Every structure is written in structure tokens, then in C-alpha cells.
Amino acid sequence: MFFSEDRSQFFRPLTSKYREQILECLRLLYERLYSARADYGESLQRDQVIEIFEEALARAPQLDSGEYGNETRFKSEREQASWILNQLLESGWMEKQVDQATLQSTFPFTRVGRMITQSLSEMGTASVRTRHRNTRNTLNALEAFLSRGEVHDLMDAYEYSERIISDFSDVIAELEERKRELVRQVETQLLVQQATDHFFEFMEKRFQPDVSIRLSADSVEKHRDAIQAVIDKIRRKRKEFKREAELKLRELAPELIQPGQSVLYFVLDAIEIRMRNAAELMLPALRRALQSFTKRADIIIRQLSYLTSQRNNSVVDVCRELAQLERSQQDQLLAGAGDALAGLHLQWLDPDQVRLQQKRREQVLYTRIDEAGEVEDDALRDVALQQQLDQAFITHHEGLHDYLITAMAGGNRVSTRDLPLRSARDVLAMSHAIETASYQAVDSDYQFVVTPTGETAANDYFACFDVFEIELIKKAKPETDTDDL
């Protein structure tokens, strides 16, 4: 349980009127312990923690509401810093550790306190975070596992794929929050300029370095096929490779073990499902949220332009002055304005401004389409029959490779005499089996070698055929000529 005896009132320090000051104390202490400014060889004692808290209290404001007394509760900032330290110790944010040799006390974060403080610190920081690289990290980790067989790389890919969905959710939620914030700020005319500045600041500092990369360079649509190809290669690995990876995964992640289920295939299927959900669900949702945000910003910019253009308009001032008068005075002034505007004014036109427009001749386009003659039924039948025959006898190298690997049944050699014939596709694949030696995949480390035996055989579908031995071997790496170096 999270709210155990030591953490029963864990969030109590963040509910008083001093919550902003306590939060600033936590952020500054975390920065002092774990950021680039930290001295990892030093443990902070009580006086050092109090000094850090005093510096934080000078920065953060005190809120007006709360239940911990008034502003005269503490005589000095040092007394308040000591009170905050005691509150954090009692609530489980920090702990007191005593060195048995020197009997000196240090005050580090607890594990839970450090994790939550890290999230609070990252939420308010302006540093650059490459949150949009999780798709590429997933691909890189899978490729590392495929080449080295280290299960930690596979678990990294499993974790990165989970962060892809959470990153999309964070960006969508941020866009919705920005949109609501723009609406609230524009409702008050005093914050119109501030709303405009926030919008353009977001587009320059948040959208361009992160969201635009997520939609282009790190798009899940761009890397989805590559990740799927690596997963397929892992599934086609030898049984020894997959058996060793399965044993290591069961030792590393026992919580993923399910009766009758492979942990390796469970992790691969989970990554595949997450990539599909990210490409088909989260990416369109991000685009819709971004479109809604930009539409709202367009409406706001139009409203700002209108307000700016009407700022010096006398009509608005006249309407405002009329609204302050009584009804009888308004009617009297409007009647006088109507009489003044009712006069007829005649003016002569300037002859130089009069131009005779010549009538343009319209071009006539002939859009008649000649009807094609009717096609005979026999011709249509012949074309359809020819297409069906062409499709029925088409073979491709990938399907032929999968057929031969299945026929090897876990080995690396098979004879054309022993190839299974369970369907018409199998018969067609058997007739083209020796062609696999002429095609070598560039991205594969293996190749098929076909060797004639000089024997002949027959079965239910072939009256006589030559027997060949088909073997799957590993490609030989080219040797470097040391004399040329």
C-alpha cells in the first residue's frame, strides 16, 4: 500500500498555505542532491538542509489560505525552515540516517519522496528533454537485441514503447490545457497581449522542437514498418536463441510469466500492439487536438485584430457615451442625428474616373464526349479468366522462403522428395523450390544452397522430377586483405 504507516499523511505538507514554499524547498533540495550542481560524494546534514530551505523560502510566496496559522507564526525564516524539515520527515518525504561510526545525522530523500519530487521538478523546468525519441529508442533497442541477444535491450524496447503512448497523452492534454488558458486570458481584455505572447511562445519553444519532430522525424508511421521488420526477424531466429532469451526473461521479469505463454512472444506482441495503437489511435488524436488548438488560436488572433482596429474608433466611444444617458436623452440625440443625416447631397462625378469597360468575349468549349462502344461479354470473360490464371500461378520469394523454413521443421536441410504437399500453393512452391538459390536477401545473414543428388522421384502430382537437397547456411563474411592495408 502507498499510504502505509510511514506515509499515512504523505501529501499533508502540500495542502497548507505554505505549500508553494514547501514545494520550492523540495525542488531546490532535489537540485542540490541530484542535478549537475550536486556533489555526489557529500551527504547533507541538518544545518545544510536548513540553509537550502532558507534560500527557497526567499524565492517562493506564501499563499493566503490554509489552516496553519497566520503570517506571524514564525519569527524567522530559519525557524520556518526547521518546521518544514520536521513536516517532511513526519510525512515520509525525507528520512533521517545516522552514521554508526561518527554518530552524525544526514537527511536524504526517501525513495518515494525522490520520485515524486523528480516529477514536480521536471514539470516546472525549462530544460530540453528529448521526449520525442521513444519511437527511435524502441527501434534501436530491438535492433540491439537482434544483434547481441541481450534481454535488457528487449526490456528497454518494451519500456520505450509504453512511453510512446504516454507521451502522446501528455502532448494532447497540454494542447487542451493551452487552449483553455487562451480562452480564459482573452475573456479579460487586460490579458489580451499576454495571451498572444503565450501562444507564440508555445509555437516557437514547444511546438517546433517537440511536436513537429513527433509528426515528422519521429513519426510512428515512419518507424512502424522498420520496428515490425525487426520483430519478424526476432521471431524467425533459431530455437537456441529464443530458448536462451526466454530463460533470461523469466529470470529478469518473473511478473510477466503466465501459464502456457511465452514471455518473449508476449513482449514482442505488446510492442507490436502499442505501435499499432500509437499509429492508428494516438497520432490521429494528436492531429485533431493540434487542429483544434490552431483553430482556437486563429479565432483569438482575429478577435485581437478586431479589438486593435476598434481601439481608436469614435463610434465605440459614442455608443459608450449614449449608454450612460437616460432613455429620453438617447431618443432626442438619435432623432437629431437622423435629421442631420437625412439631407440630400449632390456631387458631380470626375470624368477622368469614368472608364468604359470593354466586354470580353467568352470562349466556347466543346465538352462533348463520344460514347465508347459496348464491350462483348466474351471479351470481358477472357480478360477476367486471364487475370485469375495469372494470380493463381504467381510466386514470390518471401512466401517460398517461409514454405521451405516450415518444411525444415527446425532443421537446416530438406530434400525436395520430402516437401509437404497440403494445398495447391504447396504444389506450386515445390515446383519453384530450387529457384530460391538465385535470390539472396541483402539484409539477411543466411542463404539457401541447392545441391543436385542425381536421383529422380515421383508423387501424386508429378510423374517424375529430379531430387535436390536444399540447405540453409550462414553467409561467409568477406575477409580483409591485410596486404592492401
Side-chain angles (χ1 to χ4, degrees), residues 144-395:
F145 172 71
L146 179 64
S147 60
R148 297 195 299 264
E150 180 62 45
V151 294
H152 291 87
D153 295 328
L154 181 61
M155 295 305 297
D156 289 341
Y158 180 75
E159 182 179 358
Y160 289 137
S161 64
E162 184 179 5
R163 294 178 184 175
I164 295 174
I165 305 296
S166 62
D167 286 348
F168 273 113
S169 302
D170 292 342
V171 176
I172 293 173
E174 183 178 359
L175 287 173
E176 295 295 332
E177 182 180 356
R178 293 276 182 174
K179 184 174 66 175
R180 292 191 296 267
E181 183 178 357
L182 282 175
V183 175
R184 288 195 302 267
Q185 291 176 347
V186 173
E187 288 178 353
T188 305
Q189 294 186 5
L190 296 177
L191 298 178
V192 168
Q193 186 63 36
Q194 181 180 356
T196 309
D197 296 340
H198 286 181
F199 169 72
F200 287 108
E201 181 182 0
F202 170 77
M203 296 300 291
E204 294 176 359
K205 298 182 180 180
R206 181 70 174 89
F207 173 78
Q208 184 175 359
D210 189 3
V211 181
S212 61
I213 296 178
R214 192 186 304 278
L215 296 176
S216 57
D218 197 60
S219 174
V220 292
E221 293 178 345
K222 179 180 179 180
H223 299 287
R224 180 183 179 183
D225 294 338
I227 292 175
Q228 184 63 46
V230 177
I231 292 177
D232 294 338
K233 290 180 181 180
I234 294 174
R235 289 172 176 167
R236 292 196 299 266
K237 277 285 190 178
R238 291 181 176 272
K239 290 185 177 180
E240 293 78 7
F241 177 88
K242 292 186 285 187
R243 183 185 301 111
E244 183 179 357
E246 179 72 22
L247 294 176
K248 292 182 179 179
L249 283 173
R250 289 178 176 269
E251 295 178 0
L252 182 63
E255 67 275 4
L256 300 179
I257 300 177
Q258 296 293 335
Q261 185 179 21
S262 171
V263 179
L264 174 62
Y265 279 86
F266 170 78
V267 173
L268 295 178
D269 293 340
I271 296 175
E272 188 176 2
I273 292 173
R274 289 169 180 173
M275 292 302 302
R276 183 169 62 250
N277 292 336
E280 298 178 359
L281 299 178
M282 301 306 297
L283 187 59
L286 174 60
R287 289 171 176 167
R288 289 194 298 269
L290 183 59
Q291 183 180 11
S292 175
F293 175 74
T294 52
K295 283 184 177 180
R296 177 64 63 182
D298 179 66
I299 294 173
I300 291 174
I301 292 175
R302 292 177 182 273
Q303 181 179 357
L304 296 177
S305 300
Y306 174 76
L307 293 176
T308 303
S309 62
Q310 297 295 328
R311 183 173 300 173
N312 299 323
N313 195 342
S314 59
V315 177
V316 178
D317 297 335
V318 172
C319 294
R320 188 178 294 109
E321 293 177 0
L322 289 174
Q324 297 176 358
L325 300 177
E326 297 181 357
R327 182 61 179 273
S328 59
Q329 295 177 347
Q330 292 178 2
D331 295 339
Q332 183 178 359
L333 291 175
L334 291 176
D339 295 337
L341 295 174
L344 181 61
H345 299 279
L346 296 178
Q347 293 181 352
W348 295 101
L349 296 177
D350 187 0
D352 293 336
Q353 301 297 330
V354 179
R355 293 290 185 269
L356 180 61
Q357 300 293 337
Q358 295 182 357
K359 185 177 181 181
R360 298 177 57 184
R361 296 182 58 184
E362 297 181 358
Q363 296 181 356
V364 180
L365 299 178
Y366 294 95
T367 59
R368 186 180 64 181
I369 301 176
D370 295 335
E371 296 182 357
E374 296 182 359
V375 183
E376 296 181 358
D377 296 339
D378 295 338
L380 293 175
R381 190 183 308 107
D382 294 341
V383 173
L385 181 60
Q386 186 63 37
Q387 291 179 352
Q388 294 295 331
L389 291 175
D390 294 340
Q391 294 178 0
F393 291 96
I394 290 177
T395 59

